[in-house]
Amino acid sequence: AIAGIITGLFYLAISGFGISTQRSFIMLTIMFLSILVNRQALSLRNVAIAAAVICLLRPETVLSAGFQMSFMAVIGLTGFYEAWRLWKADRAVESIRSSKLLHIPKKLLGYFAAIAATTFIASLYTTVPAMYHFGRIAPYGLAGNLVALPIVSLIIMPMAILSVLLMPLGLEYIPLQIMGWGIDLVLNAAAAVSSWSGANTAIGQMSEIFALLVSAGLIWFSLWQKSLKLFGFIFILAALPFLAARPGPDILVGKFARNAAFRNEDSQLVAVDKRRSRFSVEQWLSANGEKTRLSASAKRPGWKCKAKICTANVKNWKIAYLYDGARLEAVKCPDFDIVIAAFPLRGKCKPGHMAIDRFDVWSKGAHAIYLDGANIDIRTTMNEHQWRAWDTIPVARRTILINPGAKGK
């Protein structure tokens, strides 16, 4: 147990102190200490202690995908196996004696059943944070793990350890070759499963309330015992009205105004530029439930461009996007409801409703515009969250030149 703690600490040091690795190390240490004092090694108390330590040391990670997925998976698995152990104890389940001929098949069946149960529980508990953060679900994870995990456990990891032990003698070649063969098998299995229809399903940005309620229900299943577990369904049933993806904005403007997109009649996003702000626009597409690339989005009909001036009609609102270098004399600003410019307009363009230029996105961040009849709702990055002590309010260059002591809060 002591050697295990030291080995875990060494791995933590070389792995970069990731959240899931920290959680694993804390739980591993508690488990080995429990073994040393002859107490129950694996329980939800271990998970609670690990979560408390990480929350005290790095509270900001609670909102990260790594923290949520790691702890959800462990809560689900620990709760499941605790319930399984109690069920066997209550029923006084005794191992059925079998002949030596049936011993090996029985062990193999139990091994694959454990993999299937572990994969199913872990996938079930990590589905919600995966859907919320990445807009993806992997419905065939069970099939992939049933093939990959035995190869990893029986071939790759033993050969990896053996190759390290044989390296001082210069005899690591054969174990490494076998390990490489096992890795190829895992990659081929992953490629085969990912090629199935619907293996990587994109979904729209889900409601926060839905994610919170379903997560609360799943955690309830793990925390409580016997019939009290059934109350977890109350949270899940309460989440169903919020299942539908929240309506997305009609127009999106990137934080540097280098690209913009509008939602067409088919609820697809149409980008104005096929190259700029690739990462941001593809995040918009993912949140919209699309697996489309930026270039494909920009090819959709909607924008009409000429001489660095692009125009579109969105819900009967006339929109204009001006590239840097566009001639304002060629734009009849009053004829448009909304004008988006990748450069400072300095009050020289006054459309019917609003103008968003490089200064606006610099001071307020990316813009999301919701159009509802004659009404318009604008949400910006800066306005969507409360100000925190470490936030910086942009200060205009002219203000700095006039008052060099001026600083953002």
Side-chain angles (χ1 to χ4, degrees):
I2 295 173
I5 295 174
I6 296 173
T7 305
L9 181 61
F10 175 74
Y11 179 78
L12 177 67
I14 66 173
S15 65
F17 290 87
I19 293 302
S20 58
T21 312
Q22 292 181 32
R23 188 266 309 155
S24 299
F25 173 72
I26 295 170
M27 290 190 62
L28 182 75
T29 302
I30 297 170
M31 184 179 71
F32 281 136
L33 290 175
S34 301
I35 292 173
L36 289 173
V37 296
N38 197 27
R39 299 298 295 271
Q40 183 178 321
L42 187 63
S43 72
L44 283 168
R45 295 184 184 88
N46 298 10
V47 185
I49 294 171
V53 171
I54 294 178
C55 287
L56 286 171
L57 297 178
R58 298 182 62 187
E60 77 282 359
T61 60
V62 174
L63 299 178
S64 68
F67 181 97
Q68 294 171 13
M69 295 184 71
S70 178
F71 275 98
M72 283 295 288
V74 174
I75 288 171
L77 291 172
T78 307
F80 171 76
Y81 283 108
E82 276 194 347
W84 175 255
R85 187 183 65 252
L86 292 173
W87 180 83
K88 289 199 303 182
D90 290 344
R91 295 175 62 91
V93 177
E94 296 181 359
S95 59
I96 302 174
R97 292 184 179 181
S98 58
S99 64
K100 292 182 178 180
L101 185 63
L102 297 176
H103 181 70
I104 295 178
K106 180 182 174 182
K107 287 291 185 181
L108 286 174
L109 181 61
Y111 176 72
F112 282 100
I115 291 177
T118 299
T119 301
F120 176 76
I121 296 297
S123 300
L124 177 65
Y125 274 69
T126 57
T127 292
V128 173
M131 291 168 60
Y132 180 79
H133 288 284
F134 308 116
R136 294 285 189 274
I137 56 175
Y140 305 129
L142 178 59
N145 279 351
L146 283 174
V147 177
L149 286 181
I151 299 173
V152 172
S153 301
L154 302 177
I155 299 176
I156 296 177
M157 294 309 296
M159 290 300 105
I161 296 172
L162 183 60
S163 64
V164 172
L165 294 176
L166 294 178
M167 278 181 184
L169 304 176
L171 302 175
E172 72 278 8
Y173 177 77
I174 293 178
L176 287 176
Q177 291 300 310
I178 298 174
M179 185 177 73
W181 174 69
I183 292 173
D184 289 338
L185 288 177
V186 171
L187 293 176
N188 291 335
V193 172
S194 64
S195 66
W196 295 352
S197 176
N200 185 17
T201 304
I203 60 171
Q205 179 68 47
M206 68 163 56
S207 165
E208 291 91 347
I209 299 177
F210 175 83
L212 287 171
L213 288 174
V214 173
S215 299
L218 292 173
I219 293 172
W220 184 282
F221 289 142
S222 293
L223 294 181
W224 294 93
Q225 299 176 4
K226 299 181 179 180
S227 59
L228 288 175
K229 289 180 177 290
L230 298 178
F231 285 96
F233 286 108
I234 296 177
F235 293 97
I236 295 177
L237 291 174
L240 294 180
F242 304 97
L243 177 60
R246 60 186 180 185
D250 295 295
I251 302 173
L252 285 159
V253 184
K255 65 177 181 178
F256 299 115
R258 290 169 55 82
N259 210 336
F262 73 86
R263 187 183 303 276
N264 63 18
E265 295 179 354
D266 297 325
S267 294
Q268 296 175 325
L269 292 180
V270 184
V272 66
D273 192 276
K274 63 181 180 181
R275 286 187 291 268
R276 293 182 172 183
S277 302
R278 179 182 301 275
F279 178 79
S280 297
V281 178
E282 290 186 353
Q283 290 298 305
W284 299 344
L285 292 166
S286 177
N288 196 44
E290 301 183 56
K291 292 192 291 185
T292 308
R293 294 289 185 182
L294 169 60
S295 56
S297 172
K299 290 179 181 179
R300 292 168 177 165
W303 290 104
K304 298 178 181 179
C305 299
K306 183 179 179 181
K308 296 187 176 183
I309 301 172
C310 298
T311 61
N313 192 298
V314 183
K315 290 185 175 181
N316 296 323
W317 290 66
K318 294 181 180 180
I319 314 297
Y321 177 83
L322 311 181
Y323 280 93
D324 194 8
R327 295 174 59 250
L328 286 178
E329 308 87 62
V331 182
K332 297 181 180 179
C333 292
D335 293 344
F336 294 96
D337 299 304
I338 301 173
V339 173
I340 304 165
F343 57 91
L345 291 174
R346 304 182 188 278
K348 297 179 181 179
C349 179
K350 297 181 179 180
H353 280 80
M354 64 174 300
I356 301 173
D357 65 1
R358 181 69 180 84
F359 281 164
D360 292 314
V361 294
W362 169 75
S363 61
K364 300 176 184 178
H367 284 52
I369 303 173
Y370 296 79
L371 304 175
D372 182 15
N375 299 320
I376 181 169
D377 179 22
I378 304 171
R379 303 178 188 178
T380 67
T381 303
M382 295 299 180
N383 293 334
E384 281 297 296
H385 76 273
Q386 296 179 350
W387 288 103
R388 302 174 178 89
W390 53 84
D391 284 336
T392 301
I393 300 176
V395 178
R397 181 183 177 188
R398 181 180 300 174
T399 302
I400 295 176
L401 292 176
I402 296 174
N403 181 12
K407 294 182 180 180
K409 296 182 181 178

